Amino acid sequence: MNKSQLTNSEISSFFDNMGVMLKAGITTEEAVQLLIEDQSGEDTLMLTCLKQMSGEMSMGTSFTDALKNTEQFPDYAVSMAEAAEYTGNLESTLYHLGEYYRNEESTARTLRAAIRYPVSLLSMIIVLLIVMLVLVFPAFRDVYNNLSGSLAASSFKYINTSFVVCEVLLVITILLVVALLTRSEERRVGKECR
């Protein structure tokens, strides 16, 4: 499976525009050419794909073969378009693909927003725990040493217990942040490969 380099919003826009033009009676080759003219002056990956598709289609390659040859569209989209082209249902399938990738983009944005808050909160907790371990607990130990010359056994146990608890919480919090980031990355990569 190849990894899509086009964004879901670019893919959605492409399929929406193709669907509209096919509904208007424009051929796929003419529609791709119109999209190239619409993007003239911009140097984007989509424009490069459209030019490649146009060149291949002008030499007799089918729309879906040209789509596949760009290697920038997800395998799922290419397969759906291929089946639709074969059955003569390309127009409505392109609309559905546009809607599908628009929903994928919306879901990805929602997921990023949902993960951003806990990750930032856990990051602040990590900083707080590090400050406690590096600055606060050693300062308490120094204060006790200056006041009584040495720590009482019970006080020493409390400070050591606090150190251990703080270190354990720090490790757990770091693991939570890593798990959240890894899980969100796995979902993003999994959706891009579809």
Side-chain angles (χ1 to χ4, degrees), residues 8 16 27 51 77 87 90-91 93 95 118 129 150 161 178 182 184:
N8 284 334
D16 284 340
T27 66
K51 285 180 179 178
T87 60
L90 187 58
E91 175 192 320
T93 300
Y95 276 123
L129 291 172
S150 67
T161 303
V178 169
T182 303
S184 73

Side-chain angles (χ1 to χ4, degrees), residues 3 10 29 32 43 61-64 71 93 107 114 133 135 147 153 171 177:
K3 182 181 173 188
E10 289 173 319
E29 188 176 342
V32 169
D43 187 23
T61 305
S62 70
F63 169 72
T64 52
E71 297 182 356
T93 300
T107 302
L133 285 170
L135 300 175
L147 289 176
V171 169
V177 169

